[in-house]
Amino acid sequence: MTAARALVLVLVTVVAAPARADDVEVRIPDKLVVAAGEPGTLNVAIAVDHGHAISRDAALIIDLAPDAALHVKKRRLGRADAVDPEADAPRFAIAVRADTAGSASIGVRVRFWLCTAHACKPVDLKRNVAVEIDAGSGSGSGSGS
C-alpha cells in the first residue's frame, strides 16, 4: 500500500468514525417484563457529556423492530415523540403491548448526530431487548441499564 493510499484510508476512517462511548450514553434495558393484555413501557434515554450536544439540525431517529407478538404504536420515533422534545438529553417512554404470554424481542436502533463546538459525528446504535410476557398482571415497565 502506498503512503498516499494509507493516508486516505486513515482520513476516511477518522471522518466516518462514530461518536466515542465516553461522549454519549444511550440507556436501553436489556430486558423488559410486561403482562399479557396490559401496556408496558420501554424506556430509552440519551445522555451526553459536558461540551457535547445532540444536533437539533439533524434528525434524531429511533427505529423499532418488534416481534410479531408485540405491538407498538409507531415503529419510527423522532425528537417530537420524546417525553420532553426540547430537552438536551431526550428520554422516550415507548408503549409496548402483548396479547399472549411468552417471550419476544424488540430491535432498537437509535441514530443522531453528536456535536461539539467544532464538529459533529454520527451515532448509530443497535440493541435487542428481550421481552418476557407474563400471563398474569405484573410490573409492565422496564428500567434502563
Side-chain angles (χ1 to χ4, degrees), residues 36-49:
E38 296 183 23
T41 303
L42 173 62
N43 293 305
V44 176
I46 304 169
V48 297
D49 284 348

Side-chain angles (χ1 to χ4, degrees), residues 2-145:
T2 67
R5 288 185 82 178
L7 180 59
V8 169
L9 180 60
V10 169
L11 288 175
V12 169
T13 303
V14 170
V15 172
R20 295 186 335 246
D22 57 349
D23 295 337
V24 63
E25 180 182 4
V26 179
R27 292 186 292 265
I28 302 171
D30 295 326
K31 184 177 180 181
L32 177 67
V33 178
V34 298
E38 296 183 23
T41 303
L42 173 62
N43 293 305
V44 176
I46 304 169
V48 297
D49 284 348
H50 181 70
H52 294 81
I54 297 169
S55 174
R56 292 185 185 272
D57 295 328
L60 183 160
I61 300 171
I62 298 178
D63 286 317
L64 304 171
D67 285 350
L70 301 172
H71 307 285
V72 294
K73 287 183 181 180
K74 293 172 74 175
R75 289 180 178 256
R76 176 166 278 187
L77 305 169
R79 186 182 280 275
D81 298 302
V83 173
D84 179 1
E86 297 302 315
D88 291 334
R91 183 175 59 86
F92 297 82
I94 302 163
V96 178
R97 185 177 179 99
D99 295 326
T100 57
S103 59
S105 67
I106 301 174
V108 180
R109 182 178 182 194
V110 181
R111 293 177 286 161
F112 58 91
W113 285 84
L114 183 66
C115 301
T116 64
H118 304 290
C120 294
K121 299 178 188 179
V123 174
D124 189 345
L125 176 77
K126 295 178 185 177
R127 296 266 175 85
N128 199 42
V129 179
V131 181
E132 181 181 322
I133 308 159
D134 290 339
S137 61
S139 158
S141 65
S143 60
S145 59

